[in-house]
Amino acid sequence: MATNDPFRDLDRLASAIFDTTRRGPRRMPMDLYRDGDHYVLTADLPGIDPGSVDIDVDGQLLTIRAERTLPSGDDVKWITREREAASFLRQLSLGQGVDTERISASYANGVLSVTIPVSEKAKPRKVVVESADSARSVAAGGESIQPVES
């Protein structure tokens, strides 16, 4: 059973009034890793309506926006309210080696997953070196050339 604590309520009110760090969009915790020919971004967005998630790619800038809304209306009577309605925003600068046309996303169990494919140009490939004696393969790929020791 919940008890009324006027000091806790006063503390919450003071925090809401004087805490300016809570204003504006919040950052979402995320992980980013490469899995073969894809980068995978996962971001925690608990309590988010998937319809509020907006992902835009503008050039090499990936922007993720989401909104968490709380129930409201004449029949809603709050007993306690610790979770807040909030806006979330995250922007990432994508490198030249990704295929921005094939980015995909899904949302399940409060986690947003964004799959960012590596572009064909950035994938490692074999280059045939021809000489008068014989042909041999040399590894090349990525945006820079580095010696490969065998």
Side-chain angles (χ1 to χ4, degrees), residues 13-67:
L13 178 62
S15 293
I17 293 171
F18 298 115
D19 187 4
T20 58
T21 60
R22 298 173 120 184
R23 307 279 186 246
R26 297 180 186 212
R27 293 180 57 107
M28 62 192 82
M30 69 166 216
D31 295 326
L32 179 64
Y33 59 92
R34 184 167 176 171
D35 183 11
D37 291 340
H38 294 83
Y39 292 98
V40 179
L41 178 150
T42 55
D44 290 344
L45 290 171
I48 297 294
D49 173 14
S52 78
V53 177
D54 183 38
I55 301 174
D56 293 316
V57 178
D58 185 6
Q60 298 305 114
L61 183 66
L62 175 77
T63 302
I64 303 170
R65 290 182 185 86
E67 296 283 332

Side-chain angles (χ1 to χ4, degrees), residues 72-142:
S72 62
D74 295 335
D75 294 336
V76 175
K77 184 174 181 179
W78 291 99
I79 307 304
T80 186
R81 185 172 173 182
E82 295 180 357
R83 296 175 59 229
E84 297 178 357
S87 298
F88 296 87
L89 174 68
R90 194 71 187 246
Q91 291 186 310
L92 297 166
S93 179
L94 303 173
Q96 296 297 320
V98 299
D99 185 351
T100 58
E101 296 296 318
R102 296 186 320 136
I103 294 174
S104 61
S106 63
Y107 180 80
N109 300 321
V111 178
L112 175 68
S113 297
V114 180
T115 303
I116 306 165
V118 174
S119 70
E120 290 298 320
K121 291 180 182 179
K123 292 180 183 176
R125 63 189 183 283
K126 296 286 184 182
V127 176
V128 177
V129 178
E130 296 183 27
S131 70
D133 299 335
S134 65
R136 65 184 183 101
S137 295
V138 177

